[in-house]
């Protein structure tokens, strides 16, 4: 789903990190599944080749997750931090390949490779290398995401905060994968056999941790689309008020087929209509409506949105009178351009319509677009 965005915006480091995290998380399970292990080993003719491939994908996933959190955080040191992590984990990947080649893992092990070869020269070093690299990455990711989630600026962005908390929980659970395997390896070094610890608990931690982490990665995107759909419906009353201007001046473009673009389409359409009538705003009307609503409710934001709803409706009405439009003076009022303010104005338009219907039950329903 994210590949088309990556193709269109391949220079975006955040998109590259998102695609990398999702892709390598998938490869971890693809290469690590016992059925896949059997196929990879048989097709390649190399016993246990699936092991370094799985370890490499786990290492690359860990690095991609670190880079993703760093990209979201941003800051002047982003490039330097990214280069350091990329260099460090590239070295780990190279180390995994070299140690596997130097070692001797001639007997195929589909589920207990780590503990079976925990005392084998070179192979044991490869196992410890990837486990320490994974534990380091998930620990740093957990600290970064959980610490950032409780900062004041993030608390005001609920979707990002939920994402960071979910990623933090996922990485904490994922740490159980490397911790349990390291414990089983250390037990082998001590002459004990904790194979069950190294084969039963790690898949549970890896699976649950990966699900939580991937959900956390996707939450901001889901929140963006949900907010866009919410705004699409909430902006409908303002769109309806501007419809005469949009229709008469051919400013309404065709709605895109993709529902993911409907919010942006409505937002840009409303901006076209507002720009067309900005010379017709009545400053006196705005001030009167603003003062009256402020005195009635004491809410400054509600007063502003109500005043703009009345001013825009009056400007649309004036736009149908060519003589008045031609005599219009340069705009002295500047309408809000941010999405939140436009949504509040649309809510005010809806309230005014409901009040009008309450006072005049025979009035026709406003047309919703």
């Amino acid at each position: 789903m994210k590949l088309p965005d990556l193709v269109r915006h391949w220079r975006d480091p955040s998109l590259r990190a998102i695609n990398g995290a999702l892709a390598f998380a998938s490869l971890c399970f693809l290469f690590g599944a016992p059925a896949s292990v059997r196929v990879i080993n048989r097709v390649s003719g190399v016993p246990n080749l699936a092991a370094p491939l799985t370890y490499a994908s786990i290492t690359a996933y860990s690095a991609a997750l670190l880079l993703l959190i760093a990209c979201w955080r941003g800051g002047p040191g982003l490039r330097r931090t990214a280069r350091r992590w990329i260099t460090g984990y590239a070295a780990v990947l190279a180390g995994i390949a070299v140690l596997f080649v130097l070692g001797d893992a001639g007997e195929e092990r589909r589920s207990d490779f780590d503990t079976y070869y925990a005392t084998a020269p070179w192979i044991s070093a490869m196992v410890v290398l990837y486990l320490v690299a994974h534990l380091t990455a998930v620990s740093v990711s957990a600290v970064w995401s959980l610490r950032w989630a409780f900062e004041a600026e993030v608390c005001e962005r609920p979707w990002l905060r939920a994402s960071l908390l979910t990623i933090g929980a996922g990485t904490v659970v994922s740490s159980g994968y490397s911790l349990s395997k390291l414990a089983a390896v250390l037990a082998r070094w001590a002459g004990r056999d904790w194979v069950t610890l190294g084969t039963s608990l790690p898949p549970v931690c890896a699976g649950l941790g990966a699900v939580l982490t991937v959900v956390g990665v996707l939450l901001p995107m889901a929140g963006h689309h949900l907010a866009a759909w919410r705004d699409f419906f909430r902006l409908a009353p303002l769109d309806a008020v501007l419809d005469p201007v949009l229709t008469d001046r051919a400013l309404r473009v065709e709605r895109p087929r993709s529902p993911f673009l409907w919010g942006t389409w409505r937002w840009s359409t409303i901006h076209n209509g507002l720009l067309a009538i900005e010379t017709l705003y009545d400053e006196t009307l705005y001030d009167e409506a603003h003062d009256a609503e402020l005195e009635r409710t004491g809410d400054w934001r509600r007063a502003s949105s109500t005043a703009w709803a009345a001013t825009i409706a009056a400007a649309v009405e004036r736009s149908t009178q060519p003589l008045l439009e031609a005599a219009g003076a340069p705009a002295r009022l500047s309408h809000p351009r941010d999405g939140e303010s436009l949504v509040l104005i649309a809510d005010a338009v809806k309230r005014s319509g409901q009040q009008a219907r309450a006072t005049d039950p025979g009035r026709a329903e406003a047309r919703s677009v």
Side-chain angles (χ1 to χ4, degrees):
M1 290 177 63
K2 295 303 298 177
L3 278 176
D5 288 342
L6 180 64
V7 172
R8 290 192 295 267
H9 308 287
W10 64 272
R11 292 181 179 273
D12 186 343
S14 179
L15 271 177
R16 292 202 297 266
I18 288 175
N19 279 271
L22 296 177
F24 288 123
S26 303
L27 288 178
C28 293
F29 292 97
L30 177 63
F31 290 152
S36 300
V37 170
R38 182 178 65 254
V39 172
I40 293 171
N41 294 341
R42 182 176 301 173
V43 171
S44 66
V46 180
N48 297 306
L49 179 62
L53 291 178
T54 304
Y55 301 161
S57 62
I58 292 174
T59 302
Y61 162 68
S62 305
L65 185 60
L66 279 171
L67 293 175
L68 176 60
I69 298 174
C71 288
W72 283 356
R73 185 62 186 264
L78 172 60
R79 291 187 177 182
R80 182 174 64 256
T81 301
R83 281 197 300 268
R84 288 177 179 176
W85 285 114
I86 291 173
T87 301
Y89 275 83
V92 173
L93 291 173
I96 291 174
V98 170
L99 291 171
F100 182 76
V101 172
L102 293 176
D104 181 14
E107 183 177 347
E108 183 184 59
R109 309 298 299 187
R110 298 179 185 175
S111 59
D112 62 345
F113 180 92
D114 309 73
T115 51
Y116 185 83
Y117 287 103
T119 57
W122 303 111
I123 299 298
S124 60
M126 179 189 73
V127 171
V128 172
L129 176 63
Y130 101 87
L131 289 175
V132 170
H134 175 264
L135 182 60
T136 301
V138 295
S139 299
V140 174
S141 299
V143 171
W144 279 2
S145 56
L146 292 176
R147 184 174 61 186
W148 187 21
F150 289 99
E151 292 184 3
E153 62 178 25
V154 176
C155 291
E156 299 176 357
R157 303 166 64 184
W159 283 104
L160 177 59
R161 188 166 190 263
S163 170
L164 291 171
L165 290 174
T166 307
I167 290 176
T171 49
V172 169
V173 173
S174 294
S175 67
Y177 172 86
S178 47
L179 286 173
S180 57
K181 280 186 173 290
L182 279 171
V185 170
L186 292 174
R188 281 296 306 274
W189 291 356
R192 299 181 180 182
D193 189 4
W194 291 359
V195 176
T196 303
L197 178 64
T199 56
S200 300
L201 183 59
V204 176
C205 294
L208 181 58
V211 168
L212 289 172
T213 304
V214 169
V215 168
V217 169
L218 297 177
L219 271 177
M221 292 177 281
H224 170 75
H225 291 307
L226 288 174
W229 288 334
R230 177 202 63 191
D231 291 348
F232 170 76
F233 291 107
R234 288 185 66 183
L235 286 170
L238 182 56
D239 191 328
V241 167
L242 292 168
D243 185 63
V245 175
L246 295 169
T247 303
D248 293 345
R249 305 190 187 189
L251 297 175
R252 185 185 295 282
V253 297
E254 183 179 356
R255 185 164 67 184
R257 294 182 179 180
S258 172
F260 296 110
L261 300 176
W262 287 358
T264 302
W265 165 79
R266 175 154 281 170
W267 185 83
S268 60
T269 300
I270 287 174
H271 268 287
N272 290 340
L274 293 176
L275 288 173
I277 60 172
E278 63 179 351
T279 60
L280 303 177
Y281 295 148
D282 188 334
E283 188 175 4
T284 302
L285 174 62
Y286 176 87
D287 291 339
E288 292 176 351
H290 182 277
D291 294 343
E293 186 69 14
L294 184 61
E295 182 179 357
R296 189 177 70 86
T297 64
D299 188 333
W300 183 88
R301 297 183 69 186
R302 182 182 175 110
S304 179
S305 59
T306 300
W308 270 116
T311 304
I312 290 170
V316 171
E317 184 68 24
R318 294 186 68 191
S319 70
T320 61
Q321 306 173 31
L323 293 178
L324 289 177
E325 181 180 358
R332 297 181 61 186
L333 285 175
S334 178
H335 59 261
R337 285 170 167 76
D338 61 288
E340 183 180 0
S341 296
L342 292 179
V343 168
L344 292 177
I345 294 172
D347 291 342
V349 171
K350 184 178 180 180
R351 286 196 303 270
S352 65
Q354 292 172 343
Q355 292 171 358
R357 286 193 295 272
T359 56
D360 184 6
R363 184 177 177 177
E365 291 287 339
R367 181 164 60 92
S368 177
V369 178

